């Protein structure tokens, strides 16, 4: 059986987004309503500026005591997130996320944002494949010095 692509694996086919001046509270409410762990920060009509995740809310807002009603998402988002095309294999996406330390990956085709692949969208089999690939990469890097 062929491995799935990230686009085939995305459970949410619509883009959850906000403008850069929206408040952190607005972002949290949008994520809660959509039952998702991230929101894309976009300038109209379709320019991706950044991504704000649950982890960002915890580490960049709550832990620093920022006021969620007065803090715009632009100040706490991850700017210029790494994006992948929809045909990226799930295991390749998971390897990228493991190596870079994030859990959400915007999917982009040309200038069009198609959605966000989350590590939750990967099956355990594909996570296992990605972990094996990551371990192999580390062994090769160690061997090469």
């Amino acid at each position: 059986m062929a491995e799935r692509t990230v686009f085939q694996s995305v459970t949410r086919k619509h883009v959850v987004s906000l403008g850069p001046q929206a408040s952190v509270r607005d972002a949290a409410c949008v994520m809660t309503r959509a039952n998702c762990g991230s929101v894309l920060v976009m300038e109209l009509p379709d320019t991706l500026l950044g991504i704000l995740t649950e982890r960002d809310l915890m580490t960049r807002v709550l832990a620093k005591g920022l006021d969620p009603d007065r803090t715009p998402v632009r100040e706490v988002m991850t700017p210029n997130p790494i994006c992948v095309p929809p045909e990226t294999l799930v295991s390749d996406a998971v390897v990228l996320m493991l190596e870079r330390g994030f859990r959400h990956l915007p999917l982009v085709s040309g200038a069009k944002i198609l959605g966000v692949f989350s590590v939750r969208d990967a099956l355990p089999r594909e996570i296992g494949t990605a972990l094996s690939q990551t371990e192999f990469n580390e062994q090769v890097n160690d061997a090469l010095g």
Side-chain angles (χ1 to χ4, degrees):
M1 182 164 118
E3 185 179 345
R4 297 177 305 147
T5 66
V6 289
F7 187 71
Q8 291 169 325
S9 302
V10 171
T11 55
R12 177 177 277 78
K13 298 288 188 194
H14 67 278
V15 177
V16 178
S17 66
L18 284 172
Q21 297 307 319
S23 74
V24 168
R25 184 172 309 280
D26 292 338
C29 290
V30 165
M31 286 189 273
T32 300
R33 278 193 303 275
N35 191 31
C36 65
S38 68
V39 62
L40 297 178
V41 181
M42 300 184 65
E43 198 91 77
L44 292 177
D46 57 2
T47 302
L48 178 62
L49 300 176
I51 187 169
L52 185 72
T53 67
E54 295 164 317
R55 186 187 300 172
D56 295 330
L57 294 175
M58 181 180 59
T59 61
R60 296 178 183 173
V61 180
L62 292 175
K64 293 186 177 178
L66 298 179
D67 181 344
D69 291 312
R70 291 198 170 109
T71 304
V73 294
R74 170 174 263 153
E75 290 181 13
V76 292
M77 70 182 185
T78 298
N80 306 310
I82 293 173
C83 300
V84 295
E87 62 273 7
T88 302
L89 295 178
V90 168
S91 61
D92 291 338
V94 173
V95 166
L96 177 64
M97 294 190 305
L98 287 169
E99 290 178 345
R100 299 293 184 98
F102 50 79
R103 294 178 240 174
H104 299 89
L105 199 53
L107 307 180
V108 178
S109 180
K112 184 167 174 58
I113 310 281
L114 302 175
V116 176
F117 175 78
S118 166
V119 76
R120 292 179 195 159
D121 295 320
L123 290 175
R125 171 181 57 90
E126 291 159 325
I127 291 174
T129 300
L131 285 170
S132 296
Q133 182 64 45
T134 301
E135 289 168 3
F136 174 77
N137 291 349
E138 288 173 359
Q139 290 172 358
V140 169
N141 287 338
D142 289 346
L144 295 175

